[in-house]
Amino acid sequence: MKVFIIAAQTADGFIAKDEHHGAFWTSKEDKKRFVELTKKAGVVVMGSTTFKTLPRPLQERINVVYTRSTEEIPGAITTSLPPLELISKLESEGHKEVAICGGASIYDLFMHSGAITHLYLTIEPLLFGQGVTLFKEGLNTPLELVSEEKTEHGTLLLEYKVINKLV
């Protein structure tokens, strides 16, 4: 199963100004790429804080939200399963791809579980100076560059394959 992180960050390495900052600051090319890749995957996974930054659940995709709460979230499936159990469950339901959409705690959770096979990273020509980084915990994960594209406004669209996965 292809399990990928999809994220955008500033040139100084931040995915948001703070935990409540939505990803509406990214370029139209990033937004287009996000929609294409996540619709193709059909399943998006995110934390409840990231989900709350959206105006509504992502349409034409199954929205899976990590939460400790037992309350239902309209338009989403809630879970607290370990990443590998969730991936196994989704695979048994016939899904072939899963997009991990943030935030940093969810990126950490899935990367450290060994579930991630690919990383789609957009680097925007913008500086925040401070904010939320892609990962909170230390990593030493080698990547192989699969593709790169530079837009006319200087946005970089990168695709990496994760090497030496744990699973």
Side-chain angles (χ1 to χ4, degrees):
M1 161 127 28
K2 182 176 182 180
V3 182
F4 62 89
I5 286 176
I6 186 162
Q9 68 180 34
T10 60
D12 55 350
F14 299 106
I15 60 173
K17 290 181 179 181
D18 60 48
E19 66 180 25
H20 304 292
H21 185 221
F24 304 106
W25 54 269
T26 66
S27 62
K28 67 180 181 187
E29 293 87 356
D30 175 68
K31 288 175 181 61
K32 178 181 177 195
R33 180 188 205 202
F34 180 87
V35 169
E36 286 174 359
L37 289 171
T38 59
K39 280 188 177 180
K40 180 177 181 281
V43 180
V44 294
V45 176
M46 65 194 84
S48 58
T49 303
T50 298
F51 186 78
K52 289 175 187 171
T53 67
L54 303 176
R56 65 188 170 285
L58 299 175
Q59 300 191 3
E60 300 175 48
R61 288 152 276 192
I62 296 169
N63 290 245
V64 179
V65 177
Y66 268 82
T67 181
R68 292 181 198 95
S69 172
T70 57
E71 289 183 35
E72 287 189 27
I73 299 175
I77 297 167
T78 60
T79 190
S80 60
L81 288 174
L84 295 178
E85 284 184 39
L86 176 63
I87 297 306
S88 179
K89 180 178 186 285
L90 291 168
E91 192 169 26
S92 73
E93 293 171 357
H95 300 286
K96 296 189 181 352
E97 292 187 27
V98 177
I100 310 303
C101 301
S105 295
I106 300 302
Y107 292 145
D108 272 336
L109 184 67
F110 276 81
M111 186 59 87
H112 285 282
S113 77
I116 301 300
T117 62
H118 290 77
L119 170 64
Y120 290 94
L121 183 63
T122 299
I123 301 175
E124 296 287 3
L126 177 67
L127 301 172
F128 285 165
Q130 62 183 13
V132 179
T133 57
L134 185 60
F135 298 104
K136 291 181 175 186
E137 297 179 24
L139 289 167
N140 187 19
T141 305
L143 305 173
E144 176 185 321
L145 184 63
V146 174
S147 67
E148 60 183 300
E149 179 185 344
K150 179 182 170 188
T151 70
E152 68 178 278
H153 300 294
T155 296
L156 296 176
L157 304 170
L158 306 170
E159 176 187 359
Y160 291 98
K161 181 177 178 186
V162 177
I163 306 300
N164 298 327
K165 296 187 315 122
L166 300 174
V167 294

